[in-house]
Amino acid sequence: MCRPDAVTACPACICFILFTQSFLIIMLGSQICQFKLNTGSSATKDVLITVSWALNTVVAEPTQSLHRTVDLVIDASTLDGITSCQSAAIVDKNDAPLQDEFTSTLINHILRHRVPGSSEIIVKLILPSKDGFCIRSDFLERRLDGYQHISHIQGFLMPRQEIKAPRFESQNGANGVTSALRLHHLLQHVTGAIHVPTMQRLGDLEKELVNRLSFPWISPVAIPEKRIVWVKGYEDLESGRRIWEAAYALGIKVVIIDQEGSWAQKDDPRWNHLREAFIPTSIAADAGFTDRIVAAVRNYDKPVDALVTIYNAGCVAIARACEILGLWTSPPESFIIAGDKYKSRELELDNGEAFKVSSVDALYARLQSKDHEPVNYPLIVKPCMGWGSECVAKVQNEEQLVEAVARASGRHEAGPNPRTDVMVEPYIDGPEVDANFVLIDGEVAFFEMADDFPKLGDNATNPADGSFLETSMVLPTGLSSEEIEVSKNSVHQTLLRQGFRTGVYHCEGRIRYSSKAYDTRDGLTNLYPNDTHDSQKKPSFYLHEVNARPGGYFVSSATMLTYGVDYYGIHILSHLGDLDRARALSVPYADGAQWWLEVVVMHEDKPGMMKTEDSGKLLLDTYPDIRAAVADYKTHRKKGERLYGPTATLFSYLAYFSVVSRESREDCLRMAQKVRDKFTYEIE
């Protein structure tokens, strides 16, 4: 028996067989044919290029793969100066061209993306192994995002396109089927092309495709066109670009409802294809919000299949609008519970000695009452209704408690939905985590946890000196498998108790009695074994909040980049009731996370007017090693924009960077620290 990763030659069938521990790749012996290119130039005659090609077979366990591949190696020596052609065709015997439109499209793509000066162009083509319909047209680009051994990737599918698999068995060279005829037949079924720099990378990529395309990307049934109305469409295109691209690739029409003057209202080629229409409407979450949404949908001249949002303040009103319009929604009552910190806490099996007050006077009455046990410090104070950790404070004594309650009760005292109620609960001294779920019919379709690193407020002795705004998040989590499972089971039951059964949920909390604790050792803050851990106490999950939506944009993007799971696409499909595609998109890479990733959020640490043109780009241009480690970033505040500093009442930041490492978690953390150390900007 051959050892794993051994490569052996089989003279009888002229093929190469690559054995690995999990699957078998059979690379059939390469064949030769020629392409004739019509350059359209009077100075250049038709050009013949020689192509070596091979059809590969991948047999994956435990289920059959939905793809096969063809490797093309093109002799580029005759392509000097040629970057496009009017037409291209495979040449059969007797120089007869096998003309078709797609071959010209493919060759033009290959020519545009060849590496200048290279003697060979090496491309792997993706073909379907079964008939059906594409569940998402950009699946190849999205699932290979972050793979480092390719130079370019291009999908050729349209949204919801029907897919026909080649008849591989009938193309075996019998009955006069030549190499040219066989390749011509295969090319009519290509769904994507991937350029690699060397021949060695073809084999690496073949194995990686088994990992990355480990989900049912072909639907057995036709996918009807649907239309959603998305309420509140982010502040600009880049702040939510992946949402609109997902909807487009899924074949879903998008109508955006937002305030007059939104970016989506403008006519612009960058996004005209991503949204069908814009309806200017006040999105103030007041008493009339539901009626305005219902009227906007009813007045639109095309049928609407779902209302979708990630707008925290509007979730309840939009759920009620769905009920009026006969569209799918989780119960409005569920959103009411999830949006109220104290109602959520009341439903937990252990309410953690939390209590609610609506004013400083009510707090004094509670503290002086003999009907209640004395409070134990430290405590956490937060508005019952709130987002982005606004007005959350850790207090050490009664004086700080009174000040924090006064501040939190005034946060939403004015506005469309006045609220002054405040929750006071114990401070849980354990690692904080994000627990992200995809639920379908009450079952967990996907779950992952990320570590929320300590905030300034965790270690501040004075609440005024430290907030609980996000600063750093790392995935996958560094907690034990037991603590991950405890968290998963606990939050799953929380979601069901609150009445949620289908959707994407971003939940936050802390691990009590964890075997890990944050510490700084050798200059690196990380989770380390907890020296004070009592092994007799079992870990448990203490809920902070449930967000009945995907996490923030950079949080959800991090999951997509790490696991290949797109929360926004699933969020949209869940509202449409397209649960088969939602399940398909919930399947992560077969090998799990492709790297360690830390999201570094650079907050506004001083008020003023931004003077630096683009602080994020400046950092990447200055430090090539940082650029190589950053998979995603966005500069949120650019030159000329006002900064409100750390005392701003609304969450705002300068930039975020998704820093990755395939080597280790520690390597990722060290590079992320370099991002923080080297990030600079000027104000005026």
Side-chain angles (χ1 to χ4, degrees), residues 253-264:
K253 301 291 187 183
V254 176
V255 178
I256 296 177
I257 287 180
D258 209 334
Q259 298 288 147
E260 183 82 36
S262 164
W263 63 272

Side-chain angles (χ1 to χ4, degrees), residues 384-631:
C384 288
M385 180 184 75
W387 308 277
S389 299
E390 56 184 9
C391 285
V392 176
K394 178 184 177 183
V395 299
Q396 307 284 351
N397 52 53
E398 184 172 320
E399 180 183 358
Q400 292 180 356
L401 175 60
V402 171
E403 292 175 354
V405 167
R407 186 166 54 252
S409 64
R411 176 64 186 91
H412 298 289
E413 188 174 13
N417 289 303
R419 295 275 297 270
T420 63
D421 47 339
V422 174
M423 183 170 76
V424 180
E425 63 180 343
Y427 173 77
I428 304 301
D429 187 15
E432 186 173 355
V433 296
D434 288 348
N436 298 305
F437 283 79
V438 176
L439 287 189
I440 298 179
D441 289 334
E443 299 297 323
V444 179
F446 177 71
F447 167 78
E448 52 101 7
M449 266 173 52
D451 297 322
D452 272 337
F453 271 48
K455 318 295 194 300
L456 292 175
D458 280 300
N459 299 314
T461 56
N462 187 331
D465 296 333
S467 73
F468 282 85
L469 294 176
E470 299 279 356
T471 57
S472 171
M473 179 194 74
V474 176
L475 60 163
T477 178
L479 295 175
S480 70
S481 57
E482 178 187 10
E483 291 165 5
I484 294 171
E485 192 65 20
V486 164
S487 301
K488 175 183 176 182
N489 294 336
S490 176
V491 183
H492 183 199
Q493 293 307 309
T494 290
L495 292 170
L496 296 179
R497 280 195 299 270
Q498 292 191 2
F500 295 111
R501 293 189 55 79
T502 296
V504 181
Y505 303 94
H506 174 69
C507 309
E508 301 175 22
R510 291 185 183 246
I511 310 300
R512 285 185 291 198
Y513 314 126
S514 174
S515 61
K516 299 284 186 72
Y518 283 103
D519 195 5
T520 301
R521 303 178 185 178
D522 297 326
L524 190 68
T525 300
N526 198 0
L527 283 169
Y528 296 98
N530 186 354
D531 296 336
T532 63
H533 174 60
D534 184 349
S535 60
Q536 300 302 311
K537 293 183 177 180
K538 296 297 182 182
S540 63
F541 184 88
Y542 186 89
L543 179 73
H544 282 174
E545 65 181 16
V546 169
N547 296 284
R549 53 158 177 80
Y553 186 70
F554 51 75
V555 173
S556 295
S557 296
T559 297
M560 185 174 182
L561 291 168
T562 301
Y563 297 99
V565 174
D566 179 9
Y567 286 143
Y568 290 117
I570 298 167
H571 185 56
I572 292 169
L573 292 170
S574 297
H575 281 75
L576 287 168
D578 191 342
L579 302 188
D580 288 338
R581 283 204 289 174
R583 284 190 183 92
L585 293 187
S586 299
V587 178
Y589 300 137
D591 295 340
Q594 69 165 319
W595 49 34
W596 288 269
L597 183 150
E598 178 172 355
V599 178
V600 179
V601 184
M602 306 305 302
H603 290 286
E604 300 178 9
D605 56 1
K606 48 195 171 184
M609 193 71 70
M610 176 62 81
K611 183 178 180 181
T612 305
E613 187 72 36
D614 186 325
S615 55
K617 183 176 183 298
L618 175 64
L619 177 73
L620 301 187
D621 289 346
T622 305
Y623 299 96
D625 57 336
I626 291 179
R627 175 181 286 278
V630 170

Side-chain angles (χ1 to χ4, degrees), residues 115 131 152 202 242 306-307 317 343 345 391 409 471 475 522 539 577:
V115 178
D131 295 347
H152 186 75
L202 281 175
R242 287 187 173 94
L307 278 175
K343 288 183 184 295
R345 172 56 47 203
C391 285
S409 64
T471 57
L475 60 163
D522 297 326

